[in-house]
mmCIF file of all heavy atoms in Angstrom:
data_model
loop_
_atom_site.group_PDB
_atom_site.id
_atom_site.type_symbol
_atom_site.label_atom_id
_atom_site.label_comp_id
_atom_site.label_asym_id
_atom_site.label_seq_id
_atom_site.Cartn_x
_atom_site.Cartn_y
_atom_site.Cartn_z
ATOM 1 N N GLY A 302 -17.607 -25.566 -11.745
ATOM 2 C CA GLY A 302 -17.759 -25.501 -13.197
ATOM 3 C C GLY A 302 -18.325 -24.167 -13.647
ATOM 4 O O GLY A 302 -17.867 -23.592 -14.642
ATOM 5 N N TRP A 344 -3.060 -21.322 -22.458
ATOM 6 C CA TRP A 344 -2.624 -21.292 -21.059
ATOM 7 C C TRP A 344 -3.643 -20.553 -20.192
ATOM 8 O O TRP A 344 -3.907 -20.941 -19.045
ATOM 9 C CB TRP A 344 -1.257 -20.621 -20.932
ATOM 10 C CG TRP A 344 -0.088 -21.456 -21.345
ATOM 11 C CD1 TRP A 344 0.733 -21.256 -22.407
ATOM 12 C CD2 TRP A 344 0.410 -22.632 -20.681
ATOM 13 N NE1 TRP A 344 1.714 -22.222 -22.461
ATOM 14 C CE2 TRP A 344 1.534 -23.082 -21.407
ATOM 15 C CE3 TRP A 344 0.024 -23.353 -19.545
ATOM 16 C CZ2 TRP A 344 2.269 -24.212 -21.044
ATOM 17 C CZ3 TRP A 344 0.744 -24.474 -19.186
ATOM 18 C CH2 TRP A 344 1.850 -24.890 -19.924
ATOM 19 N N ILE A 351 -8.362 -23.419 -13.218
ATOM 20 C CA ILE A 351 -7.713 -23.475 -11.903
ATOM 21 C C ILE A 351 -8.271 -22.389 -10.991
ATOM 22 O O ILE A 351 -8.504 -22.620 -9.800
ATOM 23 C CB ILE A 351 -6.191 -23.359 -12.071
ATOM 24 C CG1 ILE A 351 -5.656 -24.600 -12.797
ATOM 25 C CG2 ILE A 351 -5.492 -23.178 -10.725
ATOM 26 C CD1 ILE A 351 -4.203 -24.509 -13.203
ATOM 27 N N GLY A 353 -11.243 -21.204 -11.233
ATOM 28 C CA GLY A 353 -12.649 -21.494 -10.987
ATOM 29 C C GLY A 353 -12.897 -22.435 -9.832
ATOM 30 O O GLY A 353 -13.941 -22.359 -9.185
ATOM 31 N N HIS A 394 -4.046 -7.937 -1.946
ATOM 32 C CA HIS A 394 -3.777 -8.699 -3.165
ATOM 33 C C HIS A 394 -2.462 -8.270 -3.792
ATOM 34 O O HIS A 394 -1.679 -9.103 -4.263
ATOM 35 C CB HIS A 394 -4.935 -8.500 -4.145
ATOM 36 C CG HIS A 394 -4.872 -9.406 -5.329
ATOM 37 N ND1 HIS A 394 -5.554 -9.154 -6.499
ATOM 38 C CD2 HIS A 394 -4.204 -10.576 -5.551
ATOM 39 C CE1 HIS A 394 -5.311 -10.113 -7.378
ATOM 40 N NE2 HIS A 394 -4.497 -10.986 -6.825
ATOM 41 N N TRP A 404 9.142 -14.212 -5.910
ATOM 42 C CA TRP A 404 9.633 -15.578 -5.682
ATOM 43 C C TRP A 404 9.679 -16.347 -6.997
ATOM 44 O O TRP A 404 10.610 -17.127 -7.234
ATOM 45 C CB TRP A 404 8.721 -16.287 -4.689
ATOM 46 C CG TRP A 404 9.046 -17.741 -4.537
ATOM 47 C CD1 TRP A 404 10.099 -18.299 -3.855
ATOM 48 C CD2 TRP A 404 8.314 -18.851 -5.097
ATOM 49 N NE1 TRP A 404 10.062 -19.673 -3.957
ATOM 50 C CE2 TRP A 404 8.980 -20.029 -4.710
ATOM 51 C CE3 TRP A 404 7.158 -18.929 -5.872
ATOM 52 C CZ2 TRP A 404 8.516 -21.291 -5.095
ATOM 53 C CZ3 TRP A 404 6.697 -20.178 -6.248
ATOM 54 C CH2 TRP A 404 7.384 -21.343 -5.857
ATOM 55 N N ALA A 414 8.003 -22.802 -13.760
ATOM 56 C CA ALA A 414 6.649 -22.293 -13.972
ATOM 57 C C ALA A 414 6.578 -20.924 -14.645
ATOM 58 O O ALA A 414 5.929 -20.766 -15.678
ATOM 59 C CB ALA A 414 5.920 -22.233 -12.620
ATOM 60 N N HIS A 418 4.904 -17.655 -18.662
ATOM 61 C CA HIS A 418 4.366 -16.306 -18.834
ATOM 62 C C HIS A 418 5.321 -15.436 -19.645
ATOM 63 O O HIS A 418 4.886 -14.644 -20.488
ATOM 64 C CB HIS A 418 4.084 -15.670 -17.477
ATOM 65 C CG HIS A 418 3.403 -14.342 -17.562
ATOM 66 N ND1 HIS A 418 2.133 -14.191 -18.077
ATOM 67 C CD2 HIS A 418 3.816 -13.097 -17.214
ATOM 68 C CE1 HIS A 418 1.782 -12.910 -18.032
ATOM 69 N NE2 HIS A 418 2.789 -12.228 -17.520
ATOM 70 N N SER A 421 5.855 -14.952 -23.665
ATOM 71 C CA SER A 421 5.163 -13.927 -24.445
ATOM 72 C C SER A 421 6.086 -12.723 -24.578
ATOM 73 O O SER A 421 6.221 -11.910 -23.658
ATOM 74 C CB SER A 421 3.859 -13.510 -23.741
ATOM 75 O OG SER A 421 2.965 -14.587 -23.697
ATOM 76 N N VAL A 455 -20.949 -7.744 -1.559
ATOM 77 C CA VAL A 455 -20.851 -8.530 -2.776
ATOM 78 C C VAL A 455 -20.590 -7.643 -3.996
ATOM 79 O O VAL A 455 -19.846 -8.024 -4.912
ATOM 80 C CB VAL A 455 -22.123 -9.395 -2.964
ATOM 81 C CG1 VAL A 455 -23.365 -8.538 -3.144
ATOM 82 C CG2 VAL A 455 -21.939 -10.355 -4.132
ATOM 83 N N ALA A 456 -21.164 -6.436 -4.035
ATOM 84 C CA ALA A 456 -20.922 -5.530 -5.163
ATOM 85 C C ALA A 456 -19.491 -4.995 -5.142
ATOM 86 O O ALA A 456 -18.864 -4.836 -6.197
ATOM 87 C CB ALA A 456 -21.912 -4.369 -5.132
ATOM 88 N N THR A 494 0.607 0.689 -14.341
ATOM 89 C CA THR A 494 -0.132 0.503 -15.585
ATOM 90 C C THR A 494 0.817 -0.180 -16.571
ATOM 91 O O THR A 494 1.872 -0.675 -16.187
ATOM 92 C CB THR A 494 -0.643 1.842 -16.141
ATOM 93 O OG1 THR A 494 0.469 2.680 -16.458
ATOM 94 C CG2 THR A 494 -1.557 2.554 -15.146
ATOM 95 N N ALA A 534 6.461 2.601 -33.360
ATOM 96 C CA ALA A 534 7.020 3.027 -34.642
ATOM 97 C C ALA A 534 7.148 1.840 -35.586
ATOM 98 O O ALA A 534 6.845 1.927 -36.786
ATOM 99 C CB ALA A 534 8.374 3.698 -34.431
#
Side-chain angles (χ1 to χ4, degrees):
W344 283 113
I351 293 171
H394 189 199
W404 173 75
H418 186 64
S421 295
V455 63
T494 63

